[in-house]
Amino acid sequence: MALRNLDIDLLRCFVTISDTGSFTRAGARLGRTQSGISLQLKRLEEQVGRALFVRSPRSLAMTFEGERLIGPARQILRLHDATLAEMFEPDIAGSVRIGVPEDFATAHLPGVLAAFAEAHPLVELEVACDLTLNLFERFHAGDFDLVLVKRQPAQERQEGVRVWREPLVWVARDRQAVADRLRIPLVVSPEPCVYRKRATEALDAIGRAWRIAYTSTSLAGSLSAVRAGLGITVLPLEMVPPGLMAVGGNAGPEVASLPPLYDTEIALIEAPGLSDTAHLLAQHIIAALERGA
């Protein structure tokens, strides 16, 4: 029986499709076109003699054979990448502590960090999510090597490098969530919170009464409260989830009682005396987010 070999690049393509759930997103991560990703998957399927995904115009699902291969494929890639890193990049090692706002970490950062971890398997990432003002405090206390923080765009020079900017919007279950309310019910994070402050200051500026209807320490908890109709919240436009809608202000159906909101920025701040490994991660984050912004 002829010896069979599995191509590392083809396995990486297969795993990346599984991780991203899309040929297009897999191509963006691996620096290939969608057609190139399709061709690589076809070659792998020819090597193993089995279909690995079932594709339709609207869905992508792994076959039973794909489920059998995905675990071993990940193990092969981890061993392969760790071996190369040990041989050719022995200095790219150590741990990096990074603090991130929860909503930004959920929406934008997993793929960025995953790509870095795959390229540098000897590096241990320690990621902590918290409110921006707490992240600032912990960063200056020495808890983090890198921190990503929300801030209001300003003309004057601010700490850190801007890596992301997007509009903020009011988010509700429907327009009735704010219609005919004497006071706008707000769903917010505990103080200190940049979005909470942004919401209350915007309403105060137009003399609109408000009240804190629901406070949650997690994004999931806040979204559940909004879905239940307990109030409205503030989110970046790209983070408005299915089932909820942007209302008033900058986007969505007009609601006269809701004022516009400033854009939000995300800045990356590096600690003094940063290690080469941490600085490499910082440059990776900046480059990746600039491509996506």
Side-chain angles (χ1 to χ4, degrees):
M1 182 177 178
L3 181 65
R4 293 186 178 183
N5 293 303
L6 294 176
D7 188 295
I8 288 291
D9 288 338
L10 303 186
L11 287 177
R12 194 180 306 280
C13 174
F14 168 59
V15 169
T16 305
I17 294 170
S18 173
D19 290 344
T20 62
S22 162
F23 280 49
T24 301
R25 289 191 290 271
R29 180 178 294 187
L30 296 176
R32 296 182 180 274
T33 63
Q34 182 177 344
S35 60
I37 292 295
S38 297
L39 181 59
Q40 283 199 309
L41 180 63
K42 181 180 178 181
R43 289 176 56 199
L44 180 61
E45 290 177 330
E46 290 173 349
Q47 284 188 2
V48 299
R50 292 164 175 82
L52 301 175
F53 287 100
V54 177
R55 285 155 280 180
S56 72
R58 294 188 176 182
S59 66
L60 178 67
M62 197 176 293
T63 65
F64 174 75
E65 299 299 339
E67 294 285 358
R68 289 181 60 194
L69 179 60
I70 190 68
R74 293 187 193 280
Q75 293 176 352
I76 291 170
L77 289 175
R78 279 196 293 268
L79 180 59
H80 172 270
D81 293 347
T83 301
L84 288 183
E86 186 69 38
M87 293 181 64
F88 300 111
E89 295 183 345
D91 295 332
I92 308 302
S95 64
V96 183
R97 304 163 300 162
I98 178 170
V100 193
E102 181 193 7
D103 51 0
F104 192 78
T106 301
H108 301 293
L109 210 56
V112 174
L113 296 182
F116 184 86
E118 289 172 5
H120 306 287
L122 300 183
V123 177
E124 296 179 350
L125 300 181
E126 301 175 15
V127 184
C129 298
D130 206 337
L131 301 175
T132 282
L133 296 181
N134 291 338
L135 291 172
F136 261 125
E137 183 176 330
R138 294 176 62 186
F139 174 74
H140 289 294
D143 287 353
F144 300 120
D145 302 301
L146 306 171
V147 68
L148 286 160
V149 294
K150 303 171 188 174
R151 70 184 187 189
Q152 183 169 314
Q155 297 299 321
E156 65 273 12
R157 181 175 176 82
Q158 299 186 80
E159 189 176 9
V161 177
R162 189 186 83 183
V163 295
W164 193 268
R165 181 170 179 167
E166 60 185 328
L168 287 178
V169 294
W170 301 98
V171 178
R173 181 176 67 178
D174 50 46
R175 295 184 65 181
Q176 297 306 310
V178 290
D180 303 322
R181 300 292 187 102
L182 294 177
R183 294 190 295 167
I184 299 294
L186 298 177
V187 176
V188 293
S189 297
E191 292 182 331
C193 172
V194 171
Y195 292 173
R196 176 180 178 141
K197 183 178 180 182
R198 194 78 60 83
T200 58
E201 288 183 346
L203 292 170
D204 286 341
I206 64 168
R208 187 66 172 89
W210 53 270
R211 65 183 179 87
I212 302 299
Y214 194 97
T215 303
S216 175
T217 58
S218 74
L219 177 62
S222 295
L223 294 179
S224 295
V226 176
R227 288 192 181 97
L230 298 179
I232 66 172
T233 194
V234 170
L235 287 175
L237 180 59
E238 284 193 1
M239 287 190 60
V240 179
L244 299 180
M245 62 187 301
V247 294
N250 309 72
E254 183 176 352
V255 177
S257 57
L258 295 178
L261 296 162
Y262 291 109
D263 287 0
T264 186
E265 281 188 357
I266 298 291
L268 174 68
I269 307 175
E270 302 181 22
L274 205 61
S275 69
D276 290 342
T277 300
H279 182 68
L280 182 66
L281 174 59
Q283 296 305 305
H284 170 81
I285 292 173
I286 292 171
L289 293 179
E290 283 181 345
R291 288 196 301 269

